[in-house]
Amino acid sequence: MISVIGDLSANEIEVKAKGLIGKNIILLETVDSTNTFAADLAEKVEDGTVVVADSQKKGRGRLGRTWISPPGSNIYLSVITKPSIHVEDGTLITVMAGVSCVHALRRSTGLDVAIKWPNDIVYGDKKLGGILTELRTQDERIIFAIIGIGINVNVSLDILPEDVREIATSLRNETGGCYSRTEIIAEILNELDRWYRIMKEKGGSNLILEWQRLNSTLGKKVMVIAGNETYGGFAESIDEKGMLILRLPSGETRKISAGDLKILRHQT
Ligand code: BT5
């Protein structure tokens, strides 16, 4: 098994991991998707095992979208978790991942990174990263959850396809600095470990409060595409399961579990 690829070191991440998450790192030079690799492995490995790749050939976003995953510069990882919670609480896992990434990235870079509902890590209105949570369930319980995290770290935006370049940014693009992926991954995994314990011991309420503090979405006029429906409205809150509470122009509220959200530029 490979243990070092450029600035990625599996051993160093394992040493820096303070808890359960990250004590076992599987480092790959390239893979189709770390999420697919992790899902195939999940039943055979311990809770908290992490798959990290230097590049992905078929990195995935939600709904079959592509995650652009060039080598040598970014973070692509999947954490295998076995939280033993009800499927209905599954979105809390994405909430937990968002909170953990924002804490880790703020600490590592000083940038005022935020979460955009439901799964984006943003700086200003640009996408720095995304989260793809995939669940395996049985009898309404989660057997395992794969938390896929992609973060643009040192990538130069010119090498991204034009449509992505327009909406994306990287840590290096924002600060001019070059970051150690090992350090940032260790920060993310330690934050995940901390919030995973809080979620298992105390439920989701602390996580939701923290998400509300770290998000860039609430209190804004937004447009949400959810399935075949498009809603315009005011992003009022998220509920105890991470669903967005949108106030429509009619005054009614609507709860939305997943979708694509755009913050409208002209806020009145
Ligand atoms: C996401 O999907 O944002 C979830 C991305 C999760 C990626 C990680 S990497 C490790 C793990 N293994 C995987 O295979 N996936 C996970 P979504 O909200 O559907 O956003 C996808 C959209 O983001 C694309 O359609 C592009 O518009 C844009 N995009 C693609 N690559 C990007 C990049 N590198 N940086 C910023 N935006 C990107």
Side-chain angles (χ1 to χ4, degrees):
M1 201 181 293
I2 310 171
S3 75
V4 178
I5 305 170
D7 64 326
L8 279 176
S9 162
N11 293 344
E12 251 185 76
I13 299 170
E14 286 170 353
V15 168
K16 286 177 195 289
K18 295 193 185 115
L20 173 98
I21 293 185
K23 275 288 166 234
N24 181 21
I25 301 285
I26 298 168
L27 178 62
L28 306 167
E29 190 144 356
T30 191
V31 65
D32 280 355
S33 152
T34 56
N35 263 36
T36 311
F37 191 95
D40 290 344
L41 204 69
E43 277 169 305
K44 292 170 237 145
V45 295
E46 280 176 36
D47 195 6
T49 298
V50 182
V51 178
V52 180
D54 183 54
S55 71
Q56 299 184 113
K57 290 179 284 213
K58 289 187 188 155
R60 297 189 278 113
R62 295 171 304 154
L63 306 168
R65 294 177 195 140
T66 300
W67 188 255
I68 305 294
S69 310
S73 53
N74 292 336
I75 290 172
Y76 318 106
L77 65 81
S78 298
V79 184
I80 297 164
T81 55
K82 304 185 179 181
S84 180
I85 55 175
H86 197 272
V87 253
E88 269 190 9
D89 294 325
T91 39
L92 277 180
I93 300 195
T94 302
V95 169
M96 172 177 82
V99 164
S100 304
C101 287
V102 167
H103 272 284
L105 294 175
R106 285 188 180 183
R107 189 167 326 112
S108 303
T109 66
L111 289 171
D112 203 14
V113 173
I115 315 168
K116 181 163 91 61
W117 185 89
N119 68 320
D120 285 354
I121 306 298
V122 294
Y123 179 68
D125 60 357
K126 299 285 182 177
K127 185 155 169 161
L128 255 180
I131 296 159
L132 177 67
T133 305
E134 295 180 305
L135 306 177
R136 179 78 48 89
T137 63
Q138 190 173 33
D139 302 330
E140 312 262 293
R141 308 291 304 174
I142 294 177
I143 302 173
F144 62 77
I146 307 296
I147 307 172
I149 298 175
I151 310 279
N152 297 331
V153 179
N154 296 317
V155 73
S156 151
L157 299 190
D158 339 324
I159 70 162
L160 300 177
E162 200 175 325
D163 58 326
V164 173
R165 200 185 313 149
E166 277 166 13
I167 57 159
T169 192
S170 67
L171 297 177
R172 184 171 198 170
N173 185 56
E174 295 301 332
T175 66
C178 186
Y179 295 89
S180 153
R181 288 180 289 172
T182 292
E183 297 286 338
I184 295 182
I185 290 173
E187 291 278 357
I188 292 174
L189 299 182
N190 281 330
E191 283 292 337
L192 269 173
D193 190 77
R194 170 175 155 221
W195 292 102
Y196 189 40
R197 269 187 284 119
I198 292 174
M199 184 181 80
K200 286 191 292 188
E201 285 161 19
K202 303 195 176 137
S205 55
N206 293 15
L207 266 176
I208 297 287
L209 282 176
E210 195 60 7
W211 190 98
Q212 288 170 337
R213 212 172 63 76
L214 300 175
N215 87 92
S216 68
T217 310
L218 301 183
K220 307 265 174 65
K221 279 191 172 170
V222 299
M223 177 101 97
V224 184
I225 302 174
N228 295 326
E229 306 284 342
T230 300
Y231 305 98
F234 180 76
E236 205 160 78
S237 190
I238 59 163
D239 74 0
E240 72 288 354
K241 301 207 185 300
M243 299 219 329
L244 179 70
I245 303 174
L246 191 69
R247 185 160 300 272
L248 303 175
S250 64
E252 283 172 79
T253 56
R254 172 120 337 157
K255 278 193 184 182
I256 307 178
S257 63
D260 284 298
L261 179 143
K262 195 169 157 53
I263 296 173
L264 300 177
R265 252 172 217 279
H266 299 290
Q267 305 276 329
T268 48

